[in-house]
Amino acid sequence: MSASSNPASGPSPAPGLARAERLALCDLMARLGPDAPTGCAGWTTADLAAHLVIREYRPDAGPGILFRPLSGYTERVRLAVKDSTPFPQMLDRIREGPPKASLWRLPGMDKAGNSVEYFVHHEDVRRAQPDWRPRSLPPDAEERLWRRLKMARFVLRKVQVEVTLVRPDGKTIRVSKGAGQARVHGPVGELMLWALGRGEVAQVRFTGAADAVRALADARWSL
């Protein structure tokens, strides 16, 4: 009897957050085509796909994603991949995940490094479309993102306001220090989007000292 026909084998486990968001993003981009807008300034879906491909397939270009002095080389590689690789082929590479020799294949790397990446970029594409709606995330996905929200301390390091993120169940995390206190309220996924510079589309609300809230609303940052 095959494993698929053996009742004792049970259903296949659901993919983790990183894998689920990766596949959902690829399916969405395939439906929209290469020229659809995204929430990444100036990028189409083809631009975003090329970014995701070089992130996993071109380690020589990876450092420039985070370090501005190296960004020129990274951008040249990204554009070369975009121009030379058919859009469906880029999506196939993203679906497959990183090559076997990649550091991204090490145990735990996908969960640690890709859960936020693919969730945020999935929302970048979803929320750039005219009919988008907020979605509810499974509790385990929210917990994964909540644990990763500590990264906001790095992203918001230059914000001169004490910022505390507040989820609907009342749990909080302070992500910056400064003069005046502001609290940002919302579902975990919305807090993640806001913390990573997607304030125009993140469904959050602010409370706290009026000056601090104004300063926070006027601040701009990105990872």
Side-chain angles (χ1 to χ4, degrees):
M1 182 181 292
S2 67
S4 60
S5 62
N6 182 359
S9 65
S12 300
L17 176 62
R19 183 66 181 166
E21 293 296 304
R22 178 192 293 268
L23 296 178
L25 172 58
C26 287
D27 290 346
L28 177 58
M29 291 198 293
R31 290 197 302 272
L32 294 173
D35 300 318
T38 76
C40 303
W43 278 10
T44 64
T45 42
D47 288 298
L48 178 56
H51 160 75
L52 294 171
V53 167
I54 69 166
R55 182 174 174 271
E56 295 184 333
Y57 281 80
R58 289 292 303 268
D60 59 310
I65 294 174
L66 291 178
F67 300 105
R68 190 172 299 275
L70 303 176
S71 62
Y73 173 73
T74 296
E75 181 64 0
R76 290 193 296 274
V77 172
R78 187 188 68 80
L79 290 173
V81 168
K82 176 190 172 186
D83 292 341
S84 64
T85 312
F87 186 62
Q89 185 177 335
M90 287 196 288
L91 296 186
D92 286 344
R93 288 185 179 179
I94 299 167
R95 282 194 182 95
E96 291 169 3
K100 291 182 179 180
S102 171
L103 291 175
W104 291 105
R105 287 282 190 177
L106 294 175
M109 281 293 291
D110 188 52
K111 180 185 292 186
N114 285 331
S115 295
V116 172
E117 178 80 9
Y118 280 94
F119 166 74
V120 169
H121 283 321
H122 186 194
E123 291 299 322
D124 283 337
V125 178
R126 287 185 70 254
R127 300 186 186 213
Q129 312 314 311
D131 58 348
W132 78 271
R133 296 290 185 275
R135 59 184 171 126
S136 297
L137 298 174
D140 58 336
E142 288 207 333
E143 290 304 319
R144 165 58 51 184
L145 292 177
W146 181 251
R147 290 193 291 272
R148 296 294 293 157
L149 262 171
K150 293 179 181 179
M151 69 191 298
R153 293 169 178 162
F154 171 76
V155 182
L156 301 176
R157 65 194 182 280
K158 295 182 180 180
V159 173
Q160 301 300 308
V161 174
E162 181 179 305
V163 177
T164 299
L165 307 180
V166 187
R167 52 190 265 180
D169 62 6
K171 291 183 179 179
T172 65
I173 179 173
R174 190 175 68 179
V175 294
S176 70
K177 300 178 181 179
Q181 297 179 341
R183 294 165 72 86
V184 186
H185 305 255
V188 175
E190 303 299 324
L191 294 174
M192 178 63 78
L193 292 169
W194 177 85
L196 294 187
R198 275 71 174 177
E200 292 185 359
V201 295
Q203 306 294 290
V204 299
R205 63 183 179 89
F206 304 93
T207 62
D211 289 347
V213 170
R214 281 195 297 270
L216 191 57
D218 292 339
R220 295 290 181 269
W221 64 87
S222 63
L223 182 61

